[in-house]
């Protein structure tokens, strides 16, 4: 007996109206602008604690609330993951950024009850070419995944697109953490895998109103990860460096709208810029 390919919406997946997506765009812009400010501030000698204070200030100056702060007890407004740390690094006044390290900054904000979530990887000072390549490939994989978020597509199209970029480079693609649905909560169903073991065209149909966060995590070596004793920080098991890029993206009838990208993804996706909602 054969099983039908599962295309129905899993429980808990919410479909947003255009008006709700416009509100999510405003939250996404807070995240996008905050990340832009943080990237500009990164320098060797700075601590991740200082970066966290800047991030919180930026989010609050925008009239929003940092969604990470206090989330299941998380003590920071951003995640700052350096070197072999993959995700969920706790910002600290004791963690001094050093030239040659890759830093991933993950940022989330709530505005009018709606969430935005995005991450970038930044080289601290001068980095080895292989680290720059790792970050660039991870970013390219993210954009390939975002391009696959279109009406009529299926959930596994995203993982297939991410894998298609990462695999030829021989980097590790982290399996233990995934992207996610997002809306009035930071994490909603479905999980958005960065792998598609059975190829594209599988899983939930991507219909207009679906909003997800796509976030590939890629390692120089083995993709196995473990959690540190702080019960947050995820590091590579082999101690080699990692990169992490993320955007929140909505499915609209005519294609993706990258809510946390300042231009909505127009340049990278080759799409016309959408009209921006007005904040009241
Ligand atoms: Mg994030
Ligand atoms: Mg996320």
């Amino acid at each position: 007996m054969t099983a039908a390919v599962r295309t129905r919406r899993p429980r808990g997946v919410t479909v947003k109206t255009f008006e709700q997506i416009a509100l999510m765009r405003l939250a996404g812009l807070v995240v996008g602008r905050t990340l832009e400010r943080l990237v500009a501030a990164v320098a060797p000698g700075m601590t991740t604690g200082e970066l966290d204070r800047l991030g919180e200030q930026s989010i609050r100056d925008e009239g929003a609330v940092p969604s990470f702060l206090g989330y299941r007890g998380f003590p920071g407004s951003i995640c700052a993951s350096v070197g072999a740390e993959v995700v969920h690094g706790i910002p600290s006044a004791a963690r001094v950024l050093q030239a040659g390290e890759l830093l991933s900054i993950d940022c989330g904000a709530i505005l009018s009850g709606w969430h935005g979530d995005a991450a970038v990887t930044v080289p601290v000072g001068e980095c080895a070419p292989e680290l720059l390549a790792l970050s660039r490939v991870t970013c390219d994989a993210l954009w390939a995944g975002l391009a696959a978020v279109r009406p009529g597509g299926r959930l596994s199209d995203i993982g297939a697109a991410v894998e298609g970029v990462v695999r030829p480079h021989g980097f590790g693609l982290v399996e233990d953490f995934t992207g996610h649905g997002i809306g009035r909560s930071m994490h909603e169903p479905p999980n958005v895998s960065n792998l598609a073991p059975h190829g594209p065209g599988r899983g939930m149909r991507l219909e207009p109103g679906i909003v997800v966060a796509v976030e590939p995590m890629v390692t120089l070596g083995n993709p196995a990860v473990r959690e540190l004793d702080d019960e947050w920080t995820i590091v590579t098991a082999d101690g080699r460096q990692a990169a992490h890029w993320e955007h929140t993206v909505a499915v609209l009838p005519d294609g993706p709208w990258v809510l946390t990208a300042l231009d909505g993804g127009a340049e990278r996706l080759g799409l016309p810029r959408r009209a921006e909602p007005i904040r009241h």
Side-chain angles (χ1 to χ4, degrees):
M1 209 160 74
T2 57
V5 173
R6 187 171 176 188
T7 59
R8 288 187 33 220
R9 279 208 307 271
R11 256 170 91 147
V13 173
T14 59
V15 174
K16 281 83 174 172
T17 65
F18 184 79
E19 288 68 29
Q20 292 172 328
I21 289 172
L23 291 172
M24 291 192 74
R25 169 62 171 165
L26 295 172
L29 283 171
V30 171
V31 172
R33 285 192 290 258
T34 295
L35 283 172
E36 187 179 54
R37 290 174 192 127
L38 294 180
V39 167
V42 167
M46 183 180 203
T47 71
T48 57
E50 288 173 82
L51 213 52
D52 183 55
R53 276 204 307 281
L54 282 178
E56 175 169 9
Q57 194 62 55
S58 168
I59 292 167
R60 295 204 190 278
D61 286 350
E62 297 257 11
V65 173
S67 43
F68 296 179
L69 189 61
Y71 176 80
R72 296 184 180 175
F74 190 78
S77 293
I78 60 167
C79 296
S81 308
V82 198
E85 297 171 357
V86 184
V87 284
H88 305 165
I90 300 174
S92 161
R95 185 58 167 93
V96 180
L97 296 174
Q98 296 180 27
E101 295 181 307
L102 280 184
L103 163 70
S104 146
I105 309 170
D106 196 342
C107 175
I110 312 167
L111 187 69
S112 314
W114 294 94
H115 286 252
D117 186 9
V120 296
T121 290
V122 210
V124 181
E126 293 249 318
C127 274
E130 66 172 359
L131 292 181
L132 299 179
L134 176 70
S135 178
R136 191 187 61 244
V137 167
T138 310
C139 182
D140 288 348
L142 166 63
W143 281 100
L146 295 169
V149 179
R150 44 172 182 250
R154 300 273 183 83
L155 195 60
S156 83
D157 297 354
I158 300 170
V162 169
E163 272 203 270
V165 171
V166 174
R167 294 292 183 212
H169 294 275
F171 294 135
L173 188 51
V174 173
E175 299 182 26
D176 294 1
F177 292 85
T178 68
H180 48 90
I182 180 169
R184 288 194 188 276
S185 302
M186 179 162 54
H187 295 138
E188 295 183 356
N191 287 342
V192 180
S193 177
N194 293 302
L195 295 90
H198 304 292
R202 305 253 172 176
M204 184 184 89
R205 203 175 285 282
L206 299 172
E207 57 186 297
I210 296 285
V211 186
V212 294
V214 179
E215 48 181 317
M217 291 146 268
V218 181
T219 65
L220 259 192
N222 194 284
V225 296
R226 66 184 176 89
E227 189 183 87
L228 294 187
D229 289 340
D230 63 19
E231 297 186 335
W232 276 107
T233 313
I234 303 299
V235 297
T236 57
D238 65 7
R240 299 188 71 190
Q241 296 209 33
H244 171 220
W245 283 83
E246 176 181 24
H247 271 305
T248 297
V249 59
V251 185
L252 292 191
D254 56 349
W257 191 12
V258 185
L259 303 179
T260 45
L262 297 181
D263 72 349
E267 190 187 323
R268 287 291 303 242
L269 298 175
L271 299 170
R273 267 190 95 129
R274 296 180 188 276
E276 294 294 346
I278 293 161
R279 187 167 164 182
H280 298 284

mmCIF file of all heavy atoms in Angstrom, residues 117 180 187 213 215 246, ligand 2:
data_model
loop_
_atom_site.group_PDB
_atom_site.id
_atom_site.type_symbol
_atom_site.label_atom_id
_atom_site.label_comp_id
_atom_site.label_asym_id
_atom_site.label_seq_id
_atom_site.Cartn_x
_atom_site.Cartn_y
_atom_site.Cartn_z
ATOM 1 N N ASP A 117 12.365 37.898 12.426
ATOM 2 C CA ASP A 117 13.501 37.090 12.880
ATOM 3 C C ASP A 117 14.492 36.979 11.730
ATOM 4 O O ASP A 117 14.100 36.577 10.622
ATOM 5 C CB ASP A 117 12.960 35.700 13.279
ATOM 6 C CG ASP A 117 13.987 34.779 13.918
ATOM 7 O OD1 ASP A 117 15.102 35.245 14.231
ATOM 8 O OD2 ASP A 117 13.653 33.591 14.116
ATOM 9 N N HIS A 180 11.440 27.858 10.655
ATOM 10 C CA HIS A 180 10.154 27.697 11.343
ATOM 11 C C HIS A 180 9.115 28.663 10.800
ATOM 12 O O HIS A 180 9.469 29.704 10.241
ATOM 13 C CB HIS A 180 10.361 27.957 12.843
ATOM 14 C CG HIS A 180 11.139 29.230 13.105
ATOM 15 N ND1 HIS A 180 10.528 30.446 13.266
ATOM 16 C CD2 HIS A 180 12.476 29.484 13.163
ATOM 17 C CE1 HIS A 180 11.460 31.377 13.447
ATOM 18 N NE2 HIS A 180 12.664 30.832 13.374
ATOM 19 N N HIS A 187 8.129 31.190 17.053
ATOM 20 C CA HIS A 187 8.220 29.850 16.482
ATOM 21 C C HIS A 187 6.830 29.246 16.350
ATOM 22 O O HIS A 187 6.150 29.025 17.338
ATOM 23 C CB HIS A 187 9.103 28.946 17.355
ATOM 24 C CG HIS A 187 10.524 29.383 17.402
ATOM 25 N ND1 HIS A 187 11.269 29.390 18.558
ATOM 26 C CD2 HIS A 187 11.345 29.838 16.429
ATOM 27 C CE1 HIS A 187 12.481 29.839 18.289
ATOM 28 N NE2 HIS A 187 12.560 30.116 17.005
ATOM 29 N N ALA A 213 10.479 31.485 8.563
ATOM 30 C CA ALA A 213 11.872 31.928 8.669
ATOM 31 C C ALA A 213 12.739 30.813 8.102
ATOM 32 O O ALA A 213 12.623 29.663 8.516
ATOM 33 C CB ALA A 213 12.235 32.207 10.120
ATOM 34 N N GLU A 215 16.574 29.503 7.605
ATOM 35 C CA GLU A 215 17.844 29.785 8.277
ATOM 36 C C GLU A 215 18.853 28.649 8.182
ATOM 37 O O GLU A 215 18.996 27.865 9.113
ATOM 38 C CB GLU A 215 17.632 30.201 9.733
ATOM 39 C CG GLU A 215 16.706 29.356 10.568
ATOM 40 C CD GLU A 215 16.572 29.926 11.995
ATOM 41 O OE1 GLU A 215 17.578 30.335 12.583
ATOM 42 O OE2 GLU A 215 15.441 29.942 12.501
ATOM 43 N N GLU A 246 19.753 34.097 8.074
ATOM 44 C CA GLU A 246 18.306 33.883 8.206
ATOM 45 C C GLU A 246 17.520 35.101 7.716
ATOM 46 O O GLU A 246 17.949 36.237 7.904
ATOM 47 C CB GLU A 246 17.954 33.652 9.694
ATOM 48 C CG GLU A 246 16.458 33.523 9.971
ATOM 49 C CD GLU A 246 16.134 33.325 11.452
ATOM 50 O OE1 GLU A 246 16.951 33.722 12.309
ATOM 51 O OE2 GLU A 246 15.059 32.774 11.738
HETATM 52 MG MG1 LIG B 2 14.588 31.736 13.512
#
